[in-house]
Amino acid sequence: MACLVLTSLIWGFAFVSQVQGMASMSPLFFNATRFTLGAISLIPLLLWKRLRRCRESGKTVGAGNREAGDGEHDMIAGSALSNPLIVGMICGVFLFAASTLQQYGIMFGRSAGRAGFITALYIVMVPLLAYLVLRRAVRMMTWMAVGVAVAGFYLLCITDGFGSLTLADCLLLFTAVLFAAHILSIDTLGARVDALTLSFIQFVTTAALSWAGTLIEGSMDWNGAGQAWIAVLYAGIGSVGVAYTLQAVGQQWVPPTRASLIMSLESVFSVIGGALLLGETMTVRGYLGCALIFAGIVLAQISAQPQTIGGEQDRKTGSVNAIGECDRKTRKTESR
């Protein structure tokens, strides 16, 4: 359980690094560098997993390579949507859209805690979007969770009529919708794809699109990146490679329901991180709104646990075992 608490802490504090990165970098350039580092940080895990599979099967590395080649042949022969590369790229496009919008929301709002809680609404939106798009049944408690979370959003963001709703709040709210769509795309397309492989392809896709956007807008500033190198390293390596490993270890000992609830603490840690490292504060109304959003998140996960959204799969950036229980790594990346 300690591994999962530490995972949620790393992801929560990643919002702080995202705020700090905006002091000297553009959103696209920041995402380009951190997702590149995130993809690189997964390479040792991919190699270790491949080696372990070879050992477990009792085959040599050479035989493992031949087996991979056969798998690639079967993959090409099958449907394009069963190809891990294509699935990963499609999910990566959703991740790119969500993470880019999130970073712009953070740039305009400059609040780690506020961004953490508004983004966390994606957990509530997953079953709602599944109902609207895929016509999947939604339980009464899930609707209650949505109502509680909406009330929390109102208290947090709408302090003096709807005119007080900021551009940052709107961007982050739409970010939550995109992250929910990202999760559903993983569930619909990636049920048979290895979660770690899917994560890697998503990060590479998101990094490539972010680099392309950076070049188009001409925002590549290595001096700025040098000023924010700690934030970039933390958001790239800490919230991806390190947190992913801790999650994989922790979930071997903790049941899925408890694991998803523990990792919901990410939003709480974003507020703590913002207060400790950025000196952020909220009004009593704001903290009450955060509490209601968190209550809605917990209700959504508890009510959805018995009901699966798709095939069973490993969690994190690539998997959803139940409605609301999703792979947030790519969230994060986050955060994510």
Side-chain angles (χ1 to χ4, degrees), residues 135-328:
R135 291 310 193 190
R136 292 176 179 171
V138 177
R139 298 186 173 198
M140 180 57 66
M141 188 174 290
T142 301
W143 289 111
M144 292 174 57
V146 171
V148 171
V150 168
F153 178 80
Y154 180 86
L155 290 177
L156 176 63
C157 301
I158 305 176
T159 57
D160 186 22
F162 284 95
S164 60
L165 193 64
T166 67
L167 174 61
D169 295 335
C170 294
L171 291 176
L172 291 170
L173 183 61
F174 193 52
T175 293
V177 176
L178 287 176
F179 272 126
H182 170 242
I183 291 165
L184 289 178
S185 70
I186 290 172
D187 172 67
T188 304
L189 303 174
R192 297 183 180 180
V193 179
D194 174 72
L196 186 58
T197 301
L198 181 59
S199 297
F200 177 75
I201 297 173
Q202 286 186 94
F203 293 145
V204 171
T205 301
T206 302
L209 293 173
S210 297
W211 281 115
T214 300
L215 292 174
I216 291 173
E217 71 176 7
S219 61
M220 189 180 298
D221 180 6
W222 291 108
N223 289 328
Q227 296 174 27
W229 69 271
I230 296 178
V232 173
L233 285 177
Y234 184 90
I237 297 177
S239 67
V240 178
V242 175
Y244 189 105
T245 304
L246 289 172
Q247 185 203 25
V249 173
Q251 285 200 260
Q252 294 180 9
W253 308 100
V254 179
T257 304
R258 189 179 303 173
S260 62
L261 293 176
I262 291 173
M263 286 186 283
S264 297
L265 292 172
E266 171 188 357
S267 55
V268 176
F269 284 124
S270 71
V271 171
I272 295 174
L276 293 178
L277 301 179
L278 301 177
E280 296 179 358
T281 59
M282 295 185 189
T283 63
V284 174
R285 177 190 176 102
Y287 285 120
L288 179 58
C290 290
L292 287 177
I293 290 174
F294 185 71
I297 291 170
V298 172
L299 279 175
Q301 293 181 96
I302 292 177
S303 66
Q305 199 62 36
Q307 185 177 17
T308 59
I309 262 188
E312 291 283 331
Q313 192 179 352
D314 296 337
R315 277 179 48 101
K316 200 60 189 154
T317 38
S319 59
V320 181
N321 291 331
I323 296 178
E325 181 185 346
C326 60
D327 184 4
R328 297 187 189 83

